[in-house]
Amino acid sequence: MSVATAPAAGRKTLAVLLLVPALAALALLTFAWPAARMAPRDLPIGVAGPAAAVDGVARELGRREGAFEIHRYEDAAAARSAIENREVYGAVVVTPSGPELLTASAGGPVVAGLLREAVTGPAAAEGRTVPVTDVVALPAGDPRGAVLGASLLPLALAGAATGAATVLLGLRGARAAATLVGAAVLAGLTAAALAHGWLGALAGNVWAEAGVLALTVLAIGATFAGLATLLGKPGFGLAAVLTVLAGNAFSGMAGAPELLPSGIGLIGQWLPPGAGGTALRSVSSFDGAGAGGPLLALSLWAVGGLTALALVGRRRNEPTPAPATTGDRPSTRTSASTSPQTPAATG
């Protein structure tokens, strides 16, 4: 190594030594901070029954300030309908024989457990028992909801790989869009066949599930390809943060968006992994209820990425203007053979 290259090599080594711990710390904070601060924040929960009795239940739940967002319903049927439509995560129904708790473990097993603890715990301390009914249970193949939560990272990696490969292979325009869409469709069908058919972790319409999975992969892949096409190498880093790092950490699939620190859950639902996970949960266990917003978010990411690819591809395919010509004007330069000869001097 020459003396001139030694300082440059030293700077590169120092950059790596500083960058790797910084990235590790960023990843750790991104995942660990929301997990360490999980608590109910305006978690939608219903109460149903006679007004006087419901008021007492609402006051009891309201003692945990900011934890629950109370929705009132006339009776148990209305409360069940609200749970099935994903308006609330559960409900306390006041009956002549005492309160009953309705939950939906398919909407989030952590939330169902939290509601059970919040409602049955005080009653148990007083020697009373509160019956619990799981209105929308988890699929038999995924009794703890682990498969659904674990499916987001593979989907993010599949989308990232597709988007990165599309750019690195130099695909542009319609060919790039067709590659992204085709890969997403195949990934969605494969994932649905595994999660629904083999593992039994999904319980809805398999074609709807495959569509959500494909749209999730497409949204992530198009984001990678679009940002990388627009920004170059920095685009890969930005896409990785949005779809792999923050996208998974802020998705709320480990619990619920309402359990994450204020604002983080909302941001996560507008990033592809969070939107994809919520939409998949909706079509798998709730007949598509509550899937509209997440599907809109996924569509916006997909359309935005594909639009960026189309615009850049069109710009690069435009013909370069020809250089200006001199027209038919005669050249003022003459060759040596045609230049007039200077008469020889005489003397």
Side-chain angles (χ1 to χ4, degrees):
M1 181 183 296
S2 65
V3 176
T5 59
R11 287 193 297 269
K12 292 178 181 179
T13 301
L14 181 60
V16 172
L17 292 176
L18 294 177
L19 183 61
V20 171
L23 291 176
L26 176 62
L28 179 61
L29 287 174
T30 303
F31 279 92
W33 172 58
R37 297 292 184 268
M38 286 185 66
R41 296 173 176 85
D42 294 325
L43 188 72
I45 182 174
V47 292
V54 163
D55 288 341
V57 173
R59 283 194 301 271
E60 186 67 27
L61 293 172
R63 290 182 179 180
R64 302 179 64 175
E65 187 176 353
F68 300 112
E69 180 184 280
I70 307 298
H71 297 250
R72 296 172 180 261
Y73 301 98
E74 293 183 359
D75 50 29
R80 280 177 174 268
S81 177
I83 293 172
E84 293 168 350
N85 289 324
R86 304 211 71 185
E87 297 172 10
V88 293
Y89 284 95
V92 179
V93 180
V94 180
T95 69
S97 58
E100 297 180 1
L101 175 62
L102 306 179
T103 64
S105 59
V110 173
V111 177
L114 186 150
L115 294 179
R116 189 179 296 109
E117 177 184 347
V119 175
T120 65
E126 298 174 1
R128 296 183 291 109
T129 301
V130 177
V132 180
T133 302
D134 197 352
V135 176
V136 186
L138 284 162
D142 189 19
R144 295 179 179 82
V147 175
L148 188 62
S151 64
L152 287 184
L153 184 57
L155 290 177
L157 294 177
T162 303
T166 299
V167 174
L168 295 177
L169 292 175
L171 302 180
R172 297 288 182 269
R175 188 180 296 274
T179 301
L180 289 169
V181 172
V185 170
L186 292 176
L189 292 173
T190 302
L194 292 174
H196 184 111
W198 180 45
L199 297 175
L202 303 177
N205 182 286
V206 65
W207 296 109
E209 294 162 354
V212 170
L213 290 165
L215 183 57
T216 303
V217 174
L218 177 60
I220 295 172
T223 299
F224 257 86
L227 289 176
T229 301
L230 289 174
L231 305 178
K233 291 181 179 180
F236 284 121
L238 179 58
V241 170
L242 293 174
T243 62
V244 179
L245 189 60
N248 280 274
F250 299 168
S251 68
M253 291 303 292
E258 293 84 358
L259 300 184
L260 297 175
S262 299
I264 295 300
L266 178 61
I267 293 173
Q269 290 304 293
W270 281 99
L271 296 177
T278 299
L280 184 60
R281 179 170 277 165
S282 293
V283 300
S284 173
S285 300
F286 295 88
D287 293 328
L295 291 177
L296 173 62
L298 290 174
S299 300
L300 291 176
W301 284 101
V303 171
L306 294 176
T307 301
L309 280 174
L311 292 177
V312 175
R314 181 181 301 177
R315 191 183 309 146
R316 292 181 177 179
N317 290 332
E318 289 178 354
T320 304
T325 59
T326 57
D328 296 330
R329 290 177 299 172
S331 174
T332 58
R333 296 183 60 187
T334 56
S335 62
S337 60
T338 59
S339 61
Q341 299 293 323
T342 303
T346 58

